[in-house]
């Protein structure tokens, strides 16, 4: 296939662009662009953890005395806490957020919080949720807060 002069010039320009981009990318980040890492603030985290603990009654494995509003408040507290959580706990907080969301959805479908909790437990790996609760309990203990009692 014969290329016209215009087609060859487009190929050369594209190749030069790719080569230039590869050279720029291989040099690393631009020193003018500085990423600032947000420092972990233990006081802020412990305040957020206290809010999570306040609404964490649904994480104890039962629905005794809980309402759907408690689940909604827990989801909000987990979302707020996830923004300031220690890095190693972020995934566990996300897992608990997902579990709380499933409980809320189960309540919507079943029309009952206890049935919604059973439905949510059927849709998650309960051992991993228990592990996430244990990790949260460790963090609560490190903040000097009461832990979640699980049944």
């Amino acid at each position: 296939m014969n290329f016209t002069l215009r087609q060859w010039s487009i190929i050369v320009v594209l190749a030069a662009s790719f080569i230039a981009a590869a050279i720029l990318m291989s040099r690393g980040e631009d020193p003018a662009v500085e990423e600032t890492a947000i420092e972990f603030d233990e006081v802020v985290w412990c305040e957020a953890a206290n809010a999570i603990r306040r609404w964490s009654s649904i994480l104890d494995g039962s629905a005794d005395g809980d309402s759907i509003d408690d689940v909604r408040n827990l989801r909000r507290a987990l979302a707020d806490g996830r923004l300031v959580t220690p890095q190693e706990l972020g995934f566990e907080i996300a897992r608990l957020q997902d579990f709380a969301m499933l409980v809320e959805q189960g309540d919507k479908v079943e029309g009952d919080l206890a049935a919604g909790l059973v439905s949510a437990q059927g849709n998650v790996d309960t051992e991993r949720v228990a592990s996430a609760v244990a990790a949260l309990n460790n963090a609560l203990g490190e903040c000097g807060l009461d832990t979640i009692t699980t049944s």
Side-chain angles (χ1 to χ4, degrees):
M1 176 184 280
N2 293 330
F3 290 113
T4 66
L5 183 59
R6 182 175 179 191
Q7 291 171 329
W8 275 112
S9 63
I10 291 173
I11 292 170
V12 169
V13 168
L14 287 175
S17 298
F18 283 119
I19 291 170
I23 290 170
L24 289 174
M25 295 296 287
S26 68
R27 288 186 185 168
E29 293 186 33
D30 183 9
V33 178
E34 239 180 81
E35 284 188 32
T36 56
I38 298 173
E39 290 186 33
F40 173 68
D41 187 339
E42 188 174 355
V43 173
V44 172
W45 159 243
C46 287
E47 289 175 10
N50 191 34
I52 293 170
R53 184 196 55 78
R54 180 175 181 213
W55 298 110
S56 64
S57 59
I58 198 70
L59 298 176
D60 68 359
S62 70
D64 296 336
D66 297 321
S67 71
I68 192 61
D69 289 332
D70 293 333
V71 176
R72 290 182 184 127
N73 289 330
L74 172 62
R75 285 187 62 203
R76 279 188 220 112
L78 287 166
D80 293 343
R82 188 167 177 210
L83 298 174
V84 296
T85 189
Q87 185 176 9
E88 64 274 3
L89 191 61
F91 189 72
E92 305 302 337
I93 297 295
R95 186 180 309 280
L96 295 175
Q97 277 182 288
D98 290 345
F99 179 70
M101 178 192 64
L102 289 171
V103 171
E104 187 174 348
Q105 289 175 348
D107 175 76
K108 233 181 242 184
V109 170
E110 303 293 333
D112 177 54
L113 186 58
L117 180 62
V118 170
S119 173
Q121 288 171 337
N123 288 312
V124 296
D125 184 343
T126 53
E127 289 179 21
R128 290 186 183 202
V129 171
S131 174
V133 170
L136 177 60
N137 271 337
N138 289 339
L140 291 171
E142 290 173 5
C143 288
L145 301 169
D146 292 334
T147 58
I148 302 165
T149 307
T150 55
S151 57

